[in-house]
Amino acid sequence: MKSDERKSKKIFSRMITLVCLAVFIYSSYELTSILLEYYHNRKVLAEAQELFYHADSDERDEKQMRKAFYELQAINEDIIGWVTIEGTKIDYPVLQADDNKYYLDRNYKREHSRAGSIFMDYRNDYEMMQDKNIILYGHRMKDDTMFNQLKRYVDKEFFDSHPIVLFDTLYDRFDAEIFSVYRTTTDFDYIKTDFESDEEFQEFLDIIQEKSLHQSDVRVTKDDQILTLSTCDYMLDPDKGRLVVHAKLVERKS
């Protein structure tokens, strides 16, 4: 009987070992796949940066489109802008599709990617740029890419020392002056693009300034336009939580 018990224990022990080994192999495979995808994403984005900064950003064609976007547009006509925050890794092309889902899991080459792209809300008109609220979305990737580093604006010192978002479209250049950062959930409609009146927009501005974790000297009125940067945040809710940064759009003259 004791011999049978020893044999059963040995078989059970081997099964546990095999299960652990299988879990280890699977976990290693998954981790390697994720790391390789992170590497590919950074490589692809570096290629976009090379194309964007290699061109003369001020030269324009007969339609007034900036030639900095020529080669990027040849790759994908959905590339409609560029967003940069100095002192962070945020330095990316901005895409726009017919909905807010397509570029959640595709890069600017339309390849499937868990990092997705930075993309503009499909309701915004990047050519006319007349919407009161221009919205950009991006994932919060664990390798600090995409919009992950927006989390640094929770820190007051960083908020004060990095007040500008450089936002370029095919036709215009903006210095967006940051005036509000806060955590919220999707229950709050911070991605509203249409306002029925100036008064409604002013009320919206008042609310998002009140929500801010930090006070800002930037003065924003109903006559202004704002840029909204949105990414996930898990403090308030694991699914509906968001971190939001708002900035006042000011056209760059030089």
Side-chain angles (χ1 to χ4, degrees):
M1 192 72 176
K2 289 183 178 178
S3 176
D4 290 341
E5 286 182 3
R6 283 197 297 270
K7 191 177 292 184
S8 296
K9 287 181 179 179
K10 187 176 287 186
I11 292 172
F12 181 74
S13 176
R14 287 177 178 174
M15 289 177 62
I16 293 297
T17 301
L18 287 173
V19 170
C20 291
L21 182 61
V23 170
F24 173 77
I25 293 172
Y26 177 77
S27 299
S28 298
Y29 170 78
E30 286 292 300
L31 179 59
T32 301
S33 297
I34 291 171
L35 292 176
L36 286 174
E37 189 168 347
Y38 283 162
Y39 170 77
H40 178 69
N41 184 55
R42 291 194 293 270
K43 184 173 180 291
V44 167
L45 289 170
E47 292 171 2
Q49 291 163 358
E50 176 68 21
L51 293 175
F52 181 71
Y53 289 110
H54 176 73
D56 186 336
S57 61
D58 291 321
E59 192 176 356
R60 299 170 185 266
D61 64 14
E62 65 279 0
K63 295 181 180 179
Q64 291 302 302
M65 189 176 92
R66 295 170 53 211
K67 291 189 176 181
F69 287 98
Y70 269 27
E71 293 184 78
L72 292 171
Q73 278 261 302
I75 296 171
N76 185 351
E77 291 182 352
D78 288 346
I79 298 173
I80 52 85
W82 197 276
V83 61
T84 306
I85 300 179
E86 294 181 358
T88 76
K89 293 182 180 179
I90 297 173
D91 189 20
Y92 303 126
V94 177
L95 287 290
Q96 187 181 49
D98 294 330
D99 57 45
N100 287 340
K101 295 180 180 179
Y102 187 82
Y103 284 109
L104 279 172
D105 57 2
R106 289 178 176 85
N107 63 25
Y108 71 91
K109 292 184 176 181
R110 294 194 175 99
E111 300 169 334
H112 279 275
S113 166
R114 75 175 69 225
S117 295
I118 305 302
F119 62 94
M120 182 184 288
D121 195 292
Y122 75 98
R123 297 168 296 175
N124 288 137
D125 185 342
Y126 72 88
E127 292 185 336
M128 300 300 293
M129 283 295 291
Q130 293 181 346
D131 299 311
K132 285 295 189 181
N133 189 11
I134 307 293
I135 306 154
L136 305 185
Y137 304 94
H139 285 310
R140 185 170 179 167
M141 300 304 294
K142 291 182 179 178
D143 66 342
D144 264 358
T145 57
M146 312 319 286
F147 271 174
N148 178 287
Q149 296 207 327
L150 289 182
K151 66 186 179 185
R152 299 175 70 180
Y153 279 101
V154 172
D155 177 71
K156 177 71 163 96
E157 184 176 346
F158 189 86
F159 178 86
D160 290 336
S161 60
H162 296 78
I164 302 296
V165 178
L166 304 177
F167 178 52
D168 293 39
T169 71
L170 301 184
Y171 307 101
D172 301 293
R173 308 176 73 191
F174 299 92
D175 289 333
E177 302 172 350
I178 296 172
F179 65 89
S180 177
V181 56
Y182 56 88
R183 293 185 173 98
T184 187
T185 69
T186 53
D187 294 327
F188 173 56
D189 190 13
Y190 65 91
I191 60 171
K192 189 171 185 177
T193 58
D194 285 330
F195 299 87
E196 293 183 0
S197 64
D198 288 343
E199 289 71 27
E200 183 184 5
F201 182 55
Q202 183 62 60
E203 182 180 352
F204 175 76
L205 292 175
D206 293 341
I207 292 171
I208 61 177
Q209 288 179 93
E210 288 174 8
K211 283 180 170 288
S212 183
L213 297 170
H214 315 300
Q215 295 299 310
S216 168
D217 293 331
V218 177
R219 183 171 178 269
V220 192
T221 73
K222 58 182 176 56
D223 298 318
D224 293 315
Q225 288 178 285
I226 65 171
L227 178 70
T228 296
L229 311 181
S230 173
T231 193
C232 291
D233 189 87
Y234 312 108
M235 183 169 289
L236 298 181
D237 189 280
D239 298 314
K240 299 165 65 176
R242 297 291 185 270
L243 179 66
V244 185
V245 174
H246 295 291
K248 172 182 173 180
L249 281 172
V250 179
E251 190 169 355
R252 201 180 316 152
K253 301 300 183 184
S254 59

